[in-house]
Amino acid sequence: MKLTATLLTATALCAATAAQAEVWDMPLAYSATNFHSENAARFGDCVTKGTDGAIEIKTHPSGSLFGGADIKRAIQTGQVQIGERLMSAHANENPLFAVDSVPFLATSFEDSAKLFEAARPKLEEALGEQNLTLLYAVPWPPQGLYFDKAVESVADMEGIKFRSYNTTTARFAELTKMLPVSIEAAELQQAFATGVAESMISSGATGYDQKVWENLSHFYTVDAWLPYNYVMVNSDIWAETAEDAKAVISDCAEQAAANGLEASKNYTQLTLEGLREGGMTVAPPSETLKADLDAIGETMTAEWLEEAGEAGQAVVDAYRGAN
Ligand code: PCA
């Protein structure tokens, strides 16, 4: 009798747990093999295991559930619970979102982390107003320039079709007299193969993921900036999440931030080697190109500070103070 009661209680408990089990869909814009996506998959496993399946995170890479441009809105509006997005792509909503894409402001992993930490309180506040809670953020490797020919100066760039991924990269194209065309990373191979784009600024990691050596020949390690991907949860859903699950998710997020940073650092050299093996020339920019780019960087920094106003200046001051 007692045993039956115990079994019944156990069965009832299992049923209750099963009823509470929730699937959180997590759209990702980048391919499954990209290090951010692999890191997100590990984060998802960490949460699923840590909550004993009460919350199961299911990642959807390559823009398969929502494309990059739609991920942030999908989280804000609760179409999905959680997701990952390149935040600088939303600079049109708030210039602070592009603090990590100001040319030559922070060009190393160390400096970009300092800049991100200096900006974090203001970023979290801005995201909070959009019903978003930041869980973790991971930088891409330093951004370099890809072309299908040798380029020694900005003058050599005139008229080239340049793939952009945010307003900063579109503005960069304007200032260098290239022709910007906005394309998601997941569509790059196609874009270069068909000639829709002939160049871009991005990490070695993205060029490697997209096998750009099939169409492009040169990568210049100009180290312009290190943009961040943010993993965010819908704030209403976060507020309703049980405290013990929240603690698990926060722990997993902290691990994911550290693992992601490590992976990004490791991928920097690894993927540049991959580009070389694919037959590309991987080299630093010429002195002329470097000087030309520095001048453009100054213009773009001034423009960003103008747009971002006092909040932007405060972040830059805090960052420079920490340096
Ligand atoms: N890869 C992403 C953003 C920055 C990067 O390195 C892309 O090219 O879309």
Side-chain angles (χ1 to χ4, degrees):
M1 185 66 197
K2 193 151 179 264
L3 182 67
T4 317
T6 312
L7 274 177
L8 276 177
T9 313
T11 315
L13 272 178
C14 280
T17 314
Q20 280 165 10
E22 285 176 40
V23 174
W24 283 13
D25 286 305
M26 182 174 186
L28 312 170
Y30 306 96
S31 62
T33 54
N34 173 266
F35 73 93
H36 286 288
S37 304
E38 287 177 346
N39 194 43
R42 272 199 304 274
F43 162 77
D45 287 346
C46 177
V47 171
T48 306
K49 282 201 194 93
T51 62
D52 283 329
I55 295 175
E56 183 194 341
I57 295 194
K58 200 167 182 303
T59 54
H60 301 270
S62 291
S64 56
L65 187 59
F66 286 97
D70 300 318
I71 290 176
K72 182 163 169 285
R73 175 142 297 274
I75 313 166
Q76 279 175 248
T77 55
Q79 287 172 279
V80 292
Q81 296 80 358
I82 189 171
E84 180 191 62
R85 178 62 173 148
L86 177 78
M87 191 49 58
S88 60
H90 295 282
N92 54 334
E93 296 166 19
N94 185 336
L96 274 184
F97 290 159
V99 67
D100 58 26
S101 302
V102 179
F104 309 115
L105 181 58
T107 60
S108 66
F109 280 101
E110 208 188 340
D111 283 352
S112 80
K114 282 183 191 156
L115 180 59
F116 179 74
E117 285 312 322
R120 189 172 185 138
K122 287 200 167 60
L123 289 167
E124 287 190 321
E125 195 185 313
L127 292 172
E129 282 163 15
Q130 297 184 326
N131 205 30
L132 293 167
T133 300
L134 176 65
L135 290 179
Y136 69 87
V138 172
W140 287 90
Q143 305 291 289
L145 282 166
Y146 287 89
F147 295 102
D148 63 358
K149 60 175 189 182
V151 165
E152 303 297 334
S153 66
V154 162
D156 288 349
M157 298 181 195
E158 191 166 349
I160 292 178
K161 289 181 232 158
F162 180 83
R163 174 262 174 165
S164 66
Y165 63 69
N166 62 14
T167 48
T168 308
T169 51
R171 179 71 181 133
F172 176 79
E174 275 174 20
L175 289 169
T176 53
K177 299 205 174 75
M178 292 194 282
L179 311 169
V181 44
S182 166
I183 298 164
E184 281 295 321
E187 264 98 58
L188 276 177
Q189 225 173 341
Q190 170 90 355
F192 288 127
T194 55
V196 170
E198 302 161 315
S199 68
M200 67 172 172
I201 189 161
S202 190
S203 56
T206 289
Y208 180 79
D209 283 346
Q210 295 292 315
K211 301 188 174 57
V212 298
W213 54 82
E214 288 173 1
N215 299 287
L216 304 182
S217 56
H218 287 72
F219 181 76
Y220 295 106
T221 52
V222 300
D223 296 350
W225 62 82
L226 292 82
Y228 277 68
N229 274 4
Y230 290 34
V231 169
M232 299 163 286
V233 61
N234 174 290
S235 296
D236 298 328
I237 289 170
W238 187 242
E240 287 161 10
T241 303
E243 287 306 320
D244 53 348
K246 272 188 187 172
V248 168
I249 294 170
S250 299
D251 274 357
C252 293
E254 206 174 304
Q255 284 173 42
N259 293 340
L261 176 62
E262 227 19 64
S264 192
K265 286 180 181 170
N266 293 338
Y267 263 61
T268 304
Q269 280 317 312
L270 194 129
T271 54
L272 293 186
E273 278 312 312
L275 296 180
R276 280 197 188 96
E277 275 165 31
M280 292 184 73
T281 301
V282 176
S286 70
E287 284 305 313
T288 312
L289 180 55
K290 204 168 160 353
D292 288 355
L293 293 175
D294 280 345
I296 286 174
E298 271 173 37
T299 304
M300 288 179 66
T301 306
E303 286 176 356
W304 182 81
L305 281 169
E306 172 88 31
E307 255 184 85
E310 273 175 35
Q313 189 65 56
V315 168
V316 171
D317 290 347
Y319 160 64
R320 291 205 166 126
N323 245 4

